[in-house]
Amino acid sequence: MLHPDRLLPADPATRDIARSLFSSVQNLPIISPHGHTDPAWFADNKPFGNPTELLITPDHYVFRMLYSQGISLEQLGISPLDKNSVGSADPKDVWKIFASNYHLFRGTPSRLWLDHVFADVFKISKLLTTDTADEYYDTIDSLLQTQPFLPRGLFERFNIEVLATTESPLDDLNHHEVILNSDWQGRVITTFRPDPVLDPEFEGFQENLSILGELTGKDTRSYSQYLAALRDRRAFFSAHGATATDHGHPTARTANLSPSESEALFNKVSKGNFSSDEAELFRAQMLTEMAAMSLDDGLVMQIHPGSHRNHNAYLFDRFGRDMGADIPMQTEYVDALKPLLDRFGTEPGLSVILFTLDETTYSRELAPLAGHYPCLKLGPAWWFYDSPEGMRRIREQTIETAGFYNTVGFNDDTRAFLSIPARHDMSRRIDCGFLAKLVVEHRMMEQEALEVAELLAYSLAKQAYKL
Amino acid sequence: MLHPDRLLPADPATRDIARSLFSSVQNLPIISPHGHTDPAWFADNKPFGNPTELLITPDHYVFRMLYSQGISLEQLGISPLDKNSVGSADPKDVWKIFASNYHLFRGTPSRLWLDHVFADVFKISKLLTTDTADEYYDTIDSLLQTQPFLPRGLFERFNIEVLATTESPLDDLNHHEVILNSDWQGRVITTFRPDPVLDPEFEGFQENLSILGELTGKDTRSYSQYLAALRDRRAFFSAHGATATDHGHPTARTANLSPSESEALFNKVSKGNFSSDEAELFRAQMLTEMAAMSLDDGLVMQIHPGSHRNHNAYLFDRFGRDMGADIPMQTEYVDALKPLLDRFGTEPGLSVILFTLDETTYSRELAPLAGHYPCLKLGPAWWFYDSPEGMRRIREQTIETAGFYNTVGFNDDTRAFLSIPARHDMSRRIDCGFLAKLVVEHRMMEQEALEVAELLAYSLAKQAYKL
Amino acid sequence: MLHPDRLLPADPATRDIARSLFSSVQNLPIISPHGHTDPAWFADNKPFGNPTELLITPDHYVFRMLYSQGISLEQLGISPLDKNSVGSADPKDVWKIFASNYHLFRGTPSRLWLDHVFADVFKISKLLTTDTADEYYDTIDSLLQTQPFLPRGLFERFNIEVLATTESPLDDLNHHEVILNSDWQGRVITTFRPDPVLDPEFEGFQENLSILGELTGKDTRSYSQYLAALRDRRAFFSAHGATATDHGHPTARTANLSPSESEALFNKVSKGNFSSDEAELFRAQMLTEMAAMSLDDGLVMQIHPGSHRNHNAYLFDRFGRDMGADIPMQTEYVDALKPLLDRFGTEPGLSVILFTLDETTYSRELAPLAGHYPCLKLGPAWWFYDSPEGMRRIREQTIETAGFYNTVGFNDDTRAFLSIPARHDMSRRIDCGFLAKLVVEHRMMEQEALEVAELLAYSLAKQAYKL
């Protein structure tokens, strides 16, 4: 099922070089410095549930495509918020719907990842169709109960050197604590994602402020204590392995207000008495405050802006957040980041990794910014662009201006644990194909390409995230 | 003149696969679900005029390029509005100008379409140059008078299964009536394009409202009767074969006003007493009203936004609309469509096909929207992008997120009837090349590619437009 | 070091055609109609300084990349404005830093240009590394003192037919005068770049107005005399060979104010009493005034909009302008140019060459505009896009709509004199590769491709710039 030359360029000379480059990085350990897997899996090491619960229900790539063709989320076993209307879709029925619609994924990265998982993790050698749906389900279901398919077993088999999860600052990091205190050697670290307490428009923001206060013993309606509470939580996260923060604001806007302006703004925000513009300004200022704290504690900042979250009003009301209806928006960086850069742009200790859902910024804004400011680095193709064509575009549109050394390698950014090797495999193949093209066009020597392939597959991520 | 491998990828292995895919779709009937040919041709079945009148004067792709190099529209035989200054360019002289400037079209799709028409329709085996201009003109001119070159003869020879034209809601559809009542079996249907009565800034809007009233016997200065009149005309179009509407607003903006707000806005608009913002809001609300009517009558909506019409003030004053000076503008969809989607986005009966002249929206907005909302589909590369590179870009930038099944195949969108086979041929070749690349990179199995090639060439259009 | 097939497509059939096309243009003379070399070099014909002063310090492409990786400008021998803090970096030490960081340029056009210069100009056959740094430095340093490496010798060896520099309207053009009056036959012309006296926000604008008055004997606080002074300086530049003007405004905005509105605006601007919006409007109006003057004196207009200049506040304060911190911004042309086009768009005598740093405008705005308006031409890939991938993108995204004949060939736009042959070589190779793809896909005949290759390499620039 998995062809050894998959995703490599078609031209024979280029493919030969790509093959050679890929063979040098294929078996490097996986650095997964940013993602959304569940640390409980590795803390508890219990068997995963059934195939549907593992591979379909949590994967918004998968159910958004099925939904787009008229299959309701209820049919896919996703429960509405109103518990009275909880569906009772049988996981095996859901799997059948998925199997009989597997053609919808043709041409998508989901298809490539899923085929990789089926073939490489579960050793199934048939195509998923309506006819093979039962066989697939039963095979996977029974394998999941066996020792090698427990979370830690898969982690080791996947050759993961380090895996970062992402948690709310209100999380007790109990699972990470369990992992740290266990005799298991797997390295699972957390990432500090403070949106719930930095974004006044985040659901439950006021309550989150209160919880933050309880967790830290600070009065989080006082600006200075609020900042101190954030510092406390960052330290707590660092102690549980975090080397980075992550920020998912609607825009990349930053601000550089005076302390008194910031405090006055906080006083409105923390009372729930603010306009949409004030919320945006507060988020902007808080990005700059996060940079200030990073200068002290060394956490690397990741900025993931530009998603219109929960665009589908009906789904949001009925099912809540994260139902596959997040849609990218135009995003601006040059003006947006200037306040933060004016203040901290030349500080040697700062490191900010930029991501985008707006590919127009690759060559126009992000590569020029990352190719100039010492503190800025360019993250890999994100989300919808974590795909063969998407990865080719980001390389073609950024490397000539930013070079390779202002990028941070690959991260999978996934909650689909089983797909992690598939995603890193895809990234390594596409990068080797890109490098092979440079070699075959005599734009790079093959020896250099070997070095860069290693960097892209392994070392750049390790360095950029201080792992 | 027409190489059998034209437009297929250069790499030999990829080309072999592309050839095989193309051979399977090359002779499928043509579904032309959106275009601007003249139904009178098929109603009357009279010979086309001379080569100039058929191939140059009505084709804004052709005369815009000649104009860009300093050739006036008068020289090309296009008549100014002021009848006193009507030119009298001899069609054969115009043809000579065209022929002696044929090099200007190098690298453009017009060149490929024209060569296709010359070689395939008229069986001319020489390159068009100043030297061969006369021979071309005379050959085409005399063939046009023969039976096989009458409109219906060409329609059949082109293997067109269905051809949709586009009419104003004020059109009497007399030509379609004639076709329907004739014993000719060709299927030529209409499309409901209500811009002249929905857009307060359309030339003659007030008069159009009055005509709409006369046609329907409604008082079209009353909002409820205006809506009723629109419903009447939609029913009239449906009865003449229409399965779709088409909307060419400056933006994709929609609105979701209350009935009383809509009525108040209509009262200003219908009195000619409105600001530019109010005109935009009215268009926005009317898109939503059109969606409401589509839920009742099942017409598929097409939205073609984002053109700055008639940008050249001098040409507009002198020659009127559609003189090759329509220039694309940045277009936004994510916020613009939300009001319509909030109201009708989850209605199973709604189908909206989105087009764009702003390619930046392919991966950022349109593919994510079409890959989520059941009612949204992504139209093919439009206008300037109906070209080899343009078609490759839309596939590379949308399929990974939207999949193939949220797209609607190809439409030619042309008023150049003779180019229809050339355009569908180009589209099928480029799509087969795209699929061949997926196959040769082991991203899709060849059997799947065969199925998808058929869908893209034929079935998706048929399904999406309910044909 | 320089492979004969470098930058040509990998596919063997395509490469064969590309090779053949390239061999036909490889040795054509260089037309360099827009750039920033120093005319003093050719006036004085003194030896260039050391390798660092020639190749690193003035090249913002080079030092921005080094700076992005934490190497300070002081370390690179760049002097802060505050003379008390002038560094005294030894040029050889700077060269060593550069050499030991040469890997940073992998994948960038700088690397390709530098390798070309090293191999082709200085005949060095080793890779630049820390180990070879001294050898490189010494070889280049001693060659620079020899006759063939004097500026005029290199100019001739590079086979430059004409080279345009760019000067402020306040420049005395003394160096051009010296060249004109010398018995040297090299053609070095100037370009009129009036930003310092057109842009109210340019550093020293008020003083510049005064100097303009002194140079021309006009009262440049009177609008009519200010315009007359500009006309004088244009005539002065024309007399020194200028065939073009160049405009580097933040946006492409133009205006079409009445004479009295223009005068009122000038009266505010010339007193230093204006808002940011008024400065923008004045720049906009002055672009239109420049078009008016071009109609009289025949100078071709170049518009280079869309750069956020001096984005790094720290560097700007410490080192001044042009320190590698210019970052592109989103740029709009369709509305922006309409006022100018409404007034002069159909004048046969006007020629305006458009450039962009916002690649999204290639297919959406610039190709449609250049493919329609007789006065508009599309410039080559600019700045960060003067690169293999950048040049491929502009061809793929513009030619299908604008054709080849609405483009102006290549210009190097460089202050790095030694890189000029490398840049033209790269451009010719990429264009031949692009044309070869059209040929191998049967979208263009090989004979036509030969003609177009010549145009792109030589004739289009000569025609567009009236050289």
Side-chain angles (χ1 to χ4, degrees):
Chain A
M1 289 287 290
L2 295 181
H3 195 285
D5 286 338
R6 66 190 181 278
L7 295 165
L8 302 184
D11 173 68
T14 314
R15 184 169 282 186
D16 277 352
I17 298 166
R19 251 191 225 126
S20 156
L21 295 173
F22 179 65
S23 72
S24 77
V25 298
Q26 179 169 22
N27 296 316
L28 289 175
I30 287 176
I31 303 287
S32 178
H34 173 61
H36 297 272
T37 50
D38 185 345
W41 295 333
F42 311 104
D44 302 343
N45 202 32
K46 290 186 189 152
F48 290 107
N50 58 65
T52 294
E53 190 186 313
L54 178 62
L55 295 168
I56 301 175
T57 330
D59 190 336
H60 55 80
Y61 283 92
V62 170
F63 64 71
R64 76 191 301 280
M65 181 63 84
L66 298 169
Y67 178 78
S68 78
Q69 288 281 313
I71 298 162
S72 71
L73 299 191
E74 289 88 344
Q75 284 175 279
L76 297 173
I78 296 170
S79 299
L81 295 172
D82 173 1
K83 296 301 176 189
N84 294 328
S85 64
V86 167
S88 58
D90 183 279
K92 203 158 180 175
D93 291 341
V94 175
W95 185 264
K96 278 214 162 170
I97 292 173
F98 169 59
S100 63
N101 285 284
Y102 200 52
H103 60 279
L104 298 179
F105 296 95
R106 287 172 180 169
T108 72
S110 295
R111 167 65 185 270
L112 300 172
W113 297 327
L114 287 161
D115 278 356
H116 188 117
V117 168
F118 296 150
D120 200 57
V121 181
F122 297 110
K123 308 298 179 197
I124 303 176
S125 60
K126 294 173 181 174
L127 180 64
L128 178 61
T129 63
T130 311
D131 290 344
T132 59
D134 283 344
E135 190 181 334
Y136 257 78
Y137 190 91
D138 295 339
T139 303
I140 296 172
D141 201 37
S142 63
L143 281 173
L144 289 179
Q145 305 308 314
T146 65
Q147 188 69 28
F149 289 83
L150 297 188
R152 292 181 181 179
L154 288 173
F155 187 102
E156 286 156 14
R157 178 170 152 201
F158 291 168
N159 196 19
I160 297 175
E161 184 173 314
V162 57
L163 177 74
T165 65
T166 302
E167 272 73 40
S168 158
L170 308 180
D171 195 287
D172 62 13
L173 302 184
N174 181 49
H175 302 304
H176 290 85
E177 187 79 24
V178 169
I179 298 166
L180 277 171
N181 294 337
S182 75
D183 55 6
W184 183 55
Q185 297 304 311
R187 186 169 172 207
V188 177
I189 63 178
T190 184
T191 302
F192 184 72
R193 169 91 171 220
D195 304 354
V197 297
L198 295 193
D199 177 358
E201 295 177 324
F202 204 95
E203 298 96 272
F205 175 71
Q206 295 300 332
E207 192 187 344
N208 293 341
L209 279 191
S210 302
I211 301 171
L212 178 66
E214 289 158 25
L215 283 172
T216 57
K218 311 281 183 194
D219 172 11
T220 50
R221 259 68 187 184
S222 138
Y223 184 54
S224 62
Q225 291 202 48
Y226 166 73
L227 293 178
L230 289 168
R231 272 189 214 98
D232 272 17
R233 295 309 290 168
R234 292 172 65 106
F236 181 71
F237 272 63
S238 289
H240 287 78
T243 65
T245 69
D246 186 25
H247 306 277
H249 295 188
T251 74
R253 190 169 164 202
T254 64
N256 194 0
L257 303 177
S258 69
S260 62
E261 288 169 324
S262 299
E263 182 165 9
L265 182 59
F266 177 78
N267 288 339
K268 300 185 81 171
V269 155
S270 66
K271 292 193 178 75
N273 175 27
F274 57 89
S275 68
S276 169
D277 283 352
E278 287 165 336
E280 173 70 356
L281 183 59
F282 186 73
R283 287 188 295 262
Q285 180 60 29
M286 292 314 292
L287 273 190
T288 307
E289 298 299 337
M290 289 295 106
M293 293 184 196
S294 278
L295 281 171
D296 291 335
D297 62 21
L299 293 181
V300 172
M301 285 181 80
Q302 298 174 93
I303 305 182
H304 282 92
S307 176
H308 187 129
R309 303 275 173 185
N310 313 306
H311 189 272
N312 186 322
Y314 170 83
L315 287 191
F316 182 64
D317 289 345
R318 185 160 171 80
F319 295 93
R321 290 178 71 86
D322 297 332
M323 288 297 134
D326 295 350
I327 311 285
M329 296 182 296
Q330 215 178 86
T331 307
E332 199 278 337
Y333 295 85
V334 180
D335 286 339
L337 294 176
K338 196 165 188 325
L340 187 156
L341 293 167
D342 282 349
R343 188 152 154 208
F344 297 123
T346 56
E347 293 284 348
L350 184 63
S351 188
V352 180
I353 303 173
L354 300 173
F355 295 82
T356 198
L357 294 172
D358 181 352
E359 294 184 290
T360 70
T361 63
Y362 284 163
S363 70
R364 187 182 59 215
E365 304 180 26
L366 295 178
L369 285 167
H372 170 75
Y373 281 98
C375 63
L376 297 182
K377 296 270 178 294
L378 178 58
W382 177 31
W383 200 331
F384 296 118
Y385 314 123
D386 180 6
S387 64
E389 300 295 338
M391 289 193 240
R392 283 174 188 161
R393 283 200 295 275
I394 196 171
R395 293 290 179 223
E396 288 174 357
Q397 294 176 26
T398 62
I399 294 302
E400 292 184 325
T401 293
F404 290 104
Y405 294 79
N406 288 308
T407 66
V408 304
F410 179 68
N411 70 58
D412 51 75
D413 196 1
T414 191
R415 60 195 76 229
F417 176 54
L418 269 63
S419 75
I420 288 178
R423 289 168 190 250
H424 286 260
D425 178 81
M426 180 184 287
S427 167
R428 291 172 183 186
R429 288 172 182 274
I430 296 295
D431 276 341
C432 289
F434 175 73
L435 290 167
K437 186 181 161 204
L438 297 187
V439 172
V440 83
E441 293 182 358
H442 308 287
R443 294 155 67 185
M444 185 182 269
M445 294 184 297
E446 190 158 0
Q447 178 54 41
E448 295 180 296
L450 277 164
E451 289 176 40
V452 175
E454 190 279 339
L455 287 167
L456 298 177
Y458 180 78
S459 293
L460 282 177
K462 203 163 166 174
Q463 292 159 17
Y465 286 88
K466 305 182 179 176
L467 297 170
Chain B
M1 288 288 288
L2 295 182
H3 195 284
D5 286 338
R6 65 190 181 278
L7 296 166
L8 301 184
D11 173 68
T14 314
R15 185 169 281 187
D16 276 352
I17 298 166
R19 252 192 225 125
S20 156
L21 295 173
F22 178 64
S23 72
S24 76
V25 298
Q26 179 169 21
N27 297 315
L28 288 175
I30 286 177
I31 303 288
S32 177
H34 173 61
H36 298 272
T37 50
D38 186 345
W41 296 333
F42 311 105
D44 302 342
N45 202 33
K46 289 187 188 149
F48 289 107
N50 58 66
T52 294
E53 191 186 312
L54 178 63
L55 295 167
I56 301 175
T57 331
D59 190 335
H60 56 80
Y61 283 93
V62 170
F63 65 70
R64 75 193 302 280
M65 181 62 84
L66 298 170
Y67 178 78
S68 78
Q69 288 282 312
I71 298 162
S72 72
L73 297 192
E74 289 87 344
Q75 285 175 277
L76 297 173
I78 296 171
S79 299
L81 296 173
D82 173 1
K83 296 301 176 191
N84 295 327
S85 63
V86 167
S88 59
D90 182 278
K92 203 158 179 175
D93 292 341
V94 176
W95 186 265
K96 278 216 164 168
I97 293 173
F98 169 58
S100 63
N101 285 284
Y102 200 51
H103 60 279
L104 298 179
F105 297 95
R106 287 171 179 169
T108 72
S110 295
R111 167 65 185 269
L112 300 171
W113 297 326
L114 287 162
D115 278 356
H116 188 118
V117 168
F118 297 149
D120 200 57
V121 180
F122 297 110
K123 309 297 179 199
I124 303 175
S125 60
K126 294 173 181 173
L127 180 64
L128 178 61
T129 64
T130 311
D131 291 343
T132 59
D134 282 345
E135 190 181 335
Y136 257 80
Y137 190 91
D138 296 339
T139 303
I140 296 172
D141 201 38
S142 62
L143 282 173
L144 290 179
Q145 305 308 314
T146 64
Q147 189 68 27
F149 288 83
L150 297 188
R152 291 181 181 178
L154 289 173
F155 187 103
E156 287 156 13
R157 178 169 153 201
F158 291 168
N159 195 19
I160 297 174
E161 183 173 314
V162 58
L163 177 74
T165 65
T166 302
E167 272 73 41
S168 158
L170 308 180
D171 195 286
D172 62 12
L173 302 185
N174 180 49
H175 302 303
H176 291 85
E177 186 79 22
V178 169
I179 298 167
L180 278 171
N181 294 336
S182 75
D183 55 6
W184 182 54
Q185 297 305 310
R187 187 171 172 204
V188 177
I189 63 177
T190 183
T191 302
F192 184 72
R193 170 91 171 219
D195 303 355
V197 296
L198 295 192
D199 177 358
E201 295 177 325
F202 204 95
E203 297 95 271
F205 175 71
Q206 295 300 332
E207 192 188 342
N208 293 341
L209 278 191
S210 302
I211 300 171
L212 179 65
E214 288 156 26
L215 282 172
T216 56
K218 310 283 185 195
D219 172 9
T220 51
R221 260 68 188 184
S222 139
Y223 184 54
S224 62
Q225 291 202 45
Y226 166 73
L227 293 178
L230 289 169
R231 272 188 215 101
D232 273 16
R233 295 309 289 169
R234 293 171 66 107
F236 180 72
F237 272 62
S238 288
H240 287 77
T243 65
T245 69
D246 185 26
H247 306 277
H249 294 188
T251 73
R253 190 170 163 202
T254 64
N256 194 358
L257 302 177
S258 70
S260 62
E261 288 168 324
S262 299
E263 183 165 9
L265 182 59
F266 177 77
N267 288 340
K268 302 186 80 171
V269 155
S270 65
K271 292 193 179 74
N273 176 27
F274 56 88
S275 67
S276 169
D277 283 353
E278 286 165 337
E280 173 71 357
L281 183 59
F282 185 73
R283 287 188 295 262
Q285 180 61 28
M286 292 314 293
L287 274 190
T288 307
E289 298 300 337
M290 289 295 106
M293 294 185 196
S294 278
L295 281 172
D296 291 335
D297 61 22
L299 293 181
V300 172
M301 287 182 80
Q302 298 174 91
I303 303 180
H304 282 92
S307 177
H308 187 129
R309 302 275 173 186
N310 313 306
H311 190 272
N312 186 323
Y314 169 83
L315 287 191
F316 182 65
D317 289 345
R318 186 161 170 78
F319 295 93
R321 291 177 70 86
D322 297 332
M323 288 297 132
D326 295 350
I327 311 286
M329 295 182 296
Q330 214 179 87
T331 307
E332 198 277 336
Y333 294 85
V334 180
D335 286 340
L337 294 176
K338 196 166 189 323
L340 188 155
L341 293 168
D342 282 350
R343 187 150 152 212
F344 297 122
T346 56
E347 293 285 348
L350 185 63
S351 187
V352 181
I353 303 174
L354 300 173
F355 294 82
T356 199
L357 293 172
D358 180 353
E359 294 185 287
T360 69
T361 63
Y362 284 163
S363 71
R364 186 181 61 214
E365 304 180 26
L366 294 178
L369 285 166
H372 171 74
Y373 281 98
C375 63
L376 297 182
K377 296 272 179 290
L378 178 59
W382 176 32
W383 200 333
F384 296 118
Y385 314 123
D386 181 6
S387 64
E389 300 297 337
M391 289 194 239
R392 282 173 188 160
R393 285 200 294 274
I394 197 172
R395 293 291 179 222
E396 288 173 358
Q397 293 176 27
T398 62
I399 294 301
E400 293 183 325
T401 293
F404 290 103
Y405 293 79
N406 289 307
T407 66
V408 304
F410 180 66
N411 69 58
D412 51 74
D413 196 0
T414 190
R415 58 195 77 229
F417 176 53
L418 269 63
S419 76
I420 287 178
R423 289 168 191 250
H424 286 260
D425 178 81
M426 181 185 286
S427 167
R428 291 172 182 185
R429 288 173 183 275
I430 296 294
D431 276 341
C432 289
F434 175 73
L435 290 167
K437 187 181 161 204
L438 297 187
V439 172
V440 82
E441 292 182 358
H442 308 288
R443 292 153 70 184
M444 184 182 270
M445 293 184 299
E446 191 159 359
Q447 178 54 41
E448 296 181 295
L450 276 165
E451 289 176 41
V452 174
E454 191 279 339
L455 288 168
L456 298 178
Y458 180 78
S459 294
L460 281 177
K462 203 164 167 172
Q463 292 159 17
Y465 286 88
K466 305 184 179 175
L467 296 170
Chain C
M1 288 287 289
L2 295 182
H3 196 284
D5 286 337
R6 65 189 180 278
L7 295 165
L8 301 184
D11 173 67
T14 314
R15 184 169 282 187
D16 276 352
I17 298 166
R19 251 191 225 126
S20 158
L21 296 172
F22 179 65
S23 72
S24 76
V25 299
Q26 179 169 22
N27 297 316
L28 289 175
I30 286 176
I31 304 287
S32 177
H34 173 61
H36 298 272
T37 50
D38 186 345
W41 295 333
F42 310 104
D44 301 343
N45 202 32
K46 290 188 188 151
F48 290 107
N50 58 64
T52 294
E53 192 186 311
L54 178 62
L55 296 167
I56 301 175
T57 330
D59 190 337
H60 55 79
Y61 283 93
V62 170
F63 65 71
R64 76 192 302 279
M65 182 62 86
L66 297 170
Y67 178 78
S68 78
Q69 288 281 313
I71 297 162
S72 72
L73 299 192
E74 289 87 344
Q75 284 175 279
L76 297 173
I78 295 171
S79 299
L81 296 172
D82 174 0
K83 297 302 178 189
N84 294 327
S85 62
V86 167
S88 58
D90 183 280
K92 204 157 179 175
D93 291 341
V94 175
W95 186 265
K96 277 216 164 167
I97 292 173
F98 169 59
S100 64
N101 285 283
Y102 200 52
H103 60 279
L104 298 179
F105 296 95
R106 287 170 179 169
T108 73
S110 295
R111 167 63 185 270
L112 300 171
W113 298 327
L114 288 161
D115 278 355
H116 188 118
V117 169
F118 297 149
D120 199 56
V121 180
F122 297 109
K123 309 297 180 197
I124 303 176
S125 59
K126 294 173 180 172
L127 180 65
L128 178 61
T129 63
T130 311
D131 291 344
T132 60
D134 283 344
E135 191 180 335
Y136 257 79
Y137 190 91
D138 296 339
T139 302
I140 296 172
D141 201 36
S142 63
L143 282 173
L144 290 180
Q145 305 309 314
T146 65
Q147 189 68 27
F149 288 84
L150 298 188
R152 292 181 182 179
L154 289 173
F155 186 102
E156 287 156 15
R157 177 169 154 200
F158 292 169
N159 195 18
I160 298 175
E161 184 174 313
V162 57
L163 176 74
T165 65
T166 302
E167 272 73 40
S168 159
L170 309 180
D171 195 287
D172 62 13
L173 303 184
N174 180 50
H175 302 303
H176 290 85
E177 187 78 21
V178 169
I179 298 167
L180 278 171
N181 294 336
S182 75
D183 55 5
W184 183 55
Q185 298 303 311
R187 187 170 171 205
V188 177
I189 63 177
T190 183
T191 302
F192 184 72
R193 169 91 172 219
D195 304 355
V197 296
L198 295 192
D199 177 359
E201 295 177 325
F202 204 95
E203 296 96 273
F205 174 71
Q206 295 300 331
E207 193 189 343
N208 294 341
L209 279 191
S210 302
I211 300 171
L212 178 66
E214 288 157 26
L215 282 172
T216 58
K218 311 281 184 194
D219 172 9
T220 50
R221 259 68 186 184
S222 139
Y223 184 54
S224 62
Q225 291 201 48
Y226 166 73
L227 293 178
L230 289 169
R231 273 189 214 101
D232 273 15
R233 295 308 289 168
R234 292 172 66 105
F236 180 72
F237 272 62
S238 288
H240 288 77
T243 66
T245 68
D246 186 26
H247 306 276
H249 295 186
T251 74
R253 190 171 164 201
T254 64
N256 194 0
L257 302 178
S258 70
S260 63
E261 288 169 325
S262 298
E263 183 166 7
L265 183 58
F266 176 77
N267 287 340
K268 301 185 80 170
V269 155
S270 65
K271 293 193 179 74
N273 176 27
F274 56 89
S275 68
S276 168
D277 284 354
E278 286 165 337
E280 173 71 356
L281 183 60
F282 186 73
R283 286 188 296 261
Q285 180 61 28
M286 292 315 292
L287 273 190
T288 306
E289 299 300 338
M290 288 296 105
M293 293 186 197
S294 278
L295 281 172
D296 291 334
D297 62 20
L299 293 180
V300 172
M301 286 182 80
Q302 299 175 92
I303 304 181
H304 282 94
S307 176
H308 187 128
R309 303 275 173 186
N310 313 306
H311 189 273
N312 186 322
Y314 170 82
L315 287 191
F316 182 64
D317 289 345
R318 185 161 171 79
F319 295 93
R321 289 178 72 85
D322 298 330
M323 288 296 133
D326 295 349
I327 310 287
M329 297 181 297
Q330 215 179 88
T331 307
E332 198 279 334
Y333 294 84
V334 180
D335 286 339
L337 294 176
K338 197 167 187 325
L340 187 155
L341 293 168
D342 282 349
R343 189 152 152 209
F344 298 122
T346 57
E347 292 286 348
L350 184 64
S351 188
V352 181
I353 303 174
L354 300 173
F355 295 82
T356 199
L357 293 172
D358 180 353
E359 295 185 289
T360 69
T361 63
Y362 284 163
S363 70
R364 187 181 61 213
E365 305 181 25
L366 295 178
L369 285 166
H372 170 73
Y373 282 99
C375 64
L376 298 182
K377 296 271 177 293
L378 179 58
W382 176 31
W383 200 333
F384 296 119
Y385 314 124
D386 181 6
S387 64
E389 300 296 338
M391 290 194 240
R392 283 174 186 160
R393 284 200 295 273
I394 196 171
R395 293 291 179 221
E396 289 174 356
Q397 294 176 26
T398 63
I399 294 302
E400 293 184 324
T401 293
F404 290 104
Y405 293 79
N406 288 307
T407 66
V408 303
F410 180 67
N411 71 58
D412 51 74
D413 196 1
T414 189
R415 60 195 78 229
F417 177 54
L418 269 62
S419 76
I420 287 178
R423 289 168 191 248
H424 287 259
D425 178 82
M426 181 185 285
S427 167
R428 291 171 182 187
R429 289 171 181 276
I430 296 295
D431 277 340
C432 289
F434 175 72
L435 290 166
K437 187 181 161 203
L438 297 187
V439 172
V440 83
E441 292 182 358
H442 308 286
R443 293 155 68 184
M444 184 181 271
M445 293 184 299
E446 189 158 1
Q447 178 54 41
E448 296 181 295
L450 276 165
E451 289 177 40
V452 174
E454 190 280 339
L455 288 167
L456 298 177
Y458 180 77
S459 294
L460 282 177
K462 203 163 167 172
Q463 292 159 16
Y465 285 88
K466 305 183 179 176
L467 296 171

